[in-house]
């Protein structure tokens, strides 16, 4: 029997995650959404594409939770995006409810599942899932860092006309404008970035990375990025199901690492069949540490606003 991955929220990121995962043929997939017919329709359409690409994967769409029973991994992308007239607090309160309920509804049926969270505000929603599911920290991992790092890698690759495979970039911190692209640790085939790219061009790449989400929203106008975020989720799912011990930037619950307590925060973490296996601690200089602290303060303030009753 294949592993089972349930994706709560079958919108742009949820459905595209299903698409990447089906292509990888690593799990059967359940898509859950509140919109009637939509997850069923997307699942059936995707199922009907399997004969064409030659993959044997079962894809189920549903408005309920029964079909998620026995999931190895639960991915939560369900949530609302900010609309005109809505404050960030409104979004925080509404997505807290949605992510909290999605966690409670799934954990009952899949008590051993590992959770990957995507819903914004990301680091805070990871906290909600951990608390509502009463989960150990190993089993809640937020996706942000792979995406932010991939954006930086894409920009470096375009700048130097070099393969994306040669470009290693590490973006840490909270998922927002205060994220911290670590240029000193980033490299092209082992050569530090600042030896390859002039200072002003590198500064522009860092800035574009920080604003990468907004750049896409500005172009799409009706939604936010979904190809790269969902590809990032698929990489995390694969790392877990194949027990790869893959180190990727992820939002994980910190217990003193990087001087931070009781928050989810983007740091390099090792992922395998047990979930988050290890936090990797870089040697950071004062400037990098200060930037991380500022980013952590922002996340901690949002967590303090939570009402988890
Ligand atoms: O890197 C990252 N962390 C991010 C985060 C990258 C991209 C998107 N990011 C956030 O993910 C975004 O700000 C949103 O909070 C979520 C989902 O983004 P997506 O682009 O997929 O949004 P959609 O297309 O609006 O899909 C959300 C779906 C939609 O179909 C709703 O009907 C559904 O969520 N939804 C629910 N499903 C199940 N259960 C409940 N309660 C529910 N409420 C809404």
């Amino acid at each position: 029997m294949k592993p089972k991955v349930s994706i709560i929220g079958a919108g742009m990121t949820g459905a595209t995650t299903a698409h990447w995962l089906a292509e990888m043929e690593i799990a059967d997939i359940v898509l859950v959404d509140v919109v009637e017919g939509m997850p069923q329709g997307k699942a059936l359409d995707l199922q009907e594409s399997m004969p064409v690409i030659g993959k044997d994967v079962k894809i189920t769409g549903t408005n309920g939770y029964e079909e998620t029973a026995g999931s190895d991994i639960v991915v939560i992308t369900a949530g609302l995006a900010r609309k005109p007239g809505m404050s960030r607090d409104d979004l925080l309160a509404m997505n807290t409810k949605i992510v909290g309920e999605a966690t409670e509804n799934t954990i009952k049926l899949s008590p051993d599942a590992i959770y990957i969270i995507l819903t914004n505000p990301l680091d805070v929603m990871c906290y909600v899932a951990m608390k509502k599911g009463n989960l150990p920290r190993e089993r809640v991992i937020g996706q942000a860092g792979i995406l932010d790092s991939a954006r930086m890698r894409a920009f470096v690759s375009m700048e130097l006309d070099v393969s994306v495979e040669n470009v290693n970039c590490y973006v840490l911190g909270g998922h927002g404008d205060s994220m911290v692209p670590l240029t000193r640790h980033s490299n092209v085939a082992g050569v530090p970035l600042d030896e390859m790219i002039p200072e002003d061009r590198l500064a522009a790449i860092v800035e574009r990375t920080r604003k990468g989400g907004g750049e896409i929203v500005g172009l799409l106008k009706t939604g936010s990025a979904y190809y790269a975020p969902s590809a990032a989720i698929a990489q995390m799912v694969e790392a877990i199901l194949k027990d790869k011990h893959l180190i990727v930037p992820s939002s994980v619950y910190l217990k003193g690492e990087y001087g931070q307590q009781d928050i989810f925060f983007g740091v390099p973490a090792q992922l395998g069949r047990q979930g988050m296996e290890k936090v990797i601690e870089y040697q950071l200089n004062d400037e990098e540490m200060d930037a991380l602290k500022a980013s952590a303060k922002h996340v901690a303030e949002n967590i303090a606003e939570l009402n988890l009753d």
Side-chain angles (χ1 to χ4, degrees):
M1 213 169 71
K2 279 198 188 57
K4 183 168 178 180
V5 176
S6 290
I7 303 171
I8 318 305
M12 298 311 287
T13 56
T16 316
T17 300
H19 186 178
W20 292 116
L21 288 178
E23 191 131 30
M24 291 156 89
E25 206 179 23
I26 51 173
D28 287 331
I29 300 160
V30 180
L31 275 173
V32 180
D33 204 287
V34 284
V35 179
E36 271 179 45
M38 183 267 265
Q40 293 89 339
K42 288 189 179 182
L44 183 59
D45 188 12
L46 194 53
Q47 187 76 72
E48 289 167 356
S49 67
M50 292 302 104
V52 183
I53 64 168
K55 306 289 180 188
D56 291 302
V57 171
K58 190 169 166 229
I59 306 142
T60 309
T62 174
N63 300 121
Y65 280 92
E66 268 162 51
E67 291 86 343
T68 68
S71 295
D72 297 276
I73 296 180
V74 172
V75 176
I76 301 184
T77 76
L80 302 178
R82 192 138 52 131
K83 299 204 175 66
M86 267 171 64
S87 71
R88 186 180 48 78
D89 291 355
D90 295 336
L91 187 65
L92 186 74
M94 278 190 280
N95 283 355
T96 296
K97 189 165 181 293
I98 290 172
V99 171
E101 284 173 5
T103 308
E104 286 170 341
N105 286 328
T106 46
I107 193 72
K108 281 188 259 180
L109 299 162
S110 305
D112 299 324
I114 293 170
Y115 282 73
I116 300 176
I117 311 296
L118 192 81
T119 306
N120 273 327
L122 188 265
D123 306 282
V124 190
M125 291 305 118
C126 294
Y127 193 92
V128 171
M130 189 179 82
K131 293 288 173 195
K132 285 286 178 183
N134 199 16
L135 291 158
R137 77 158 176 171
E138 291 72 23
R139 284 169 49 202
V140 182
I141 311 160
Q143 189 305 117
I146 297 179
L147 169 67
D148 296 329
S149 304
R151 285 186 172 139
M152 187 165 167
R153 292 172 68 193
F155 301 148
V156 168
S157 148
M158 291 189 277
E159 176 79 15
L160 298 174
D161 199 15
V162 63
S163 168
V164 289
E165 290 189 82
N166 287 135
V167 184
N168 303 298
C169 293
Y170 303 94
V171 179
L172 307 189
H175 185 52
D177 292 351
S178 62
M179 68 179 77
V180 185
L182 287 182
T183 49
R184 210 165 54 88
H185 298 73
S186 302
N187 64 75
V188 177
V191 182
L193 277 194
D194 53 7
E195 290 178 23
M196 304 281 283
I197 302 175
E199 204 180 325
D200 59 328
R201 295 294 310 154
L202 188 53
I205 286 173
V206 164
E207 190 55 15
R208 192 174 177 193
T209 301
R210 281 211 183 96
K211 306 241 164 87
E215 183 179 1
I216 305 277
V217 171
L219 291 165
L220 293 179
K221 294 183 184 69
T222 52
S224 53
Y226 52 97
Y227 287 117
S230 54
I233 298 177
Q235 186 182 38
M236 295 167 87
V237 169
E238 183 185 36
I240 293 167
L241 293 181
K242 292 188 176 169
D243 199 21
K244 280 173 79 87
H245 312 296
L246 181 75
I247 298 169
V248 280
S250 311
S251 182
V252 302
Y253 185 75
L254 296 183
K255 294 180 175 172
E257 297 92 345
Y258 291 91
Q260 300 300 326
Q261 296 274 5
D262 198 33
I263 60 168
F264 272 83
F265 200 53
V267 296
Q270 185 175 300
L271 308 189
R273 196 61 193 86
Q274 302 306 311
M276 197 280 286
E277 298 174 331
K278 202 193 280 180
V279 173
I280 311 298
E281 289 204 70
Y282 289 157
Q283 295 294 327
L284 298 181
N285 62 29
D286 288 349
E287 194 188 333
E288 291 157 350
M289 209 57 192
D290 285 349
L292 273 191
K293 269 188 207 149
S295 180
K297 186 165 171 278
H298 185 72
V299 177
E301 282 165 4
N302 268 343
I303 288 177
E305 280 179 33
L306 281 177
N307 180 358
L308 287 182
D309 296 338

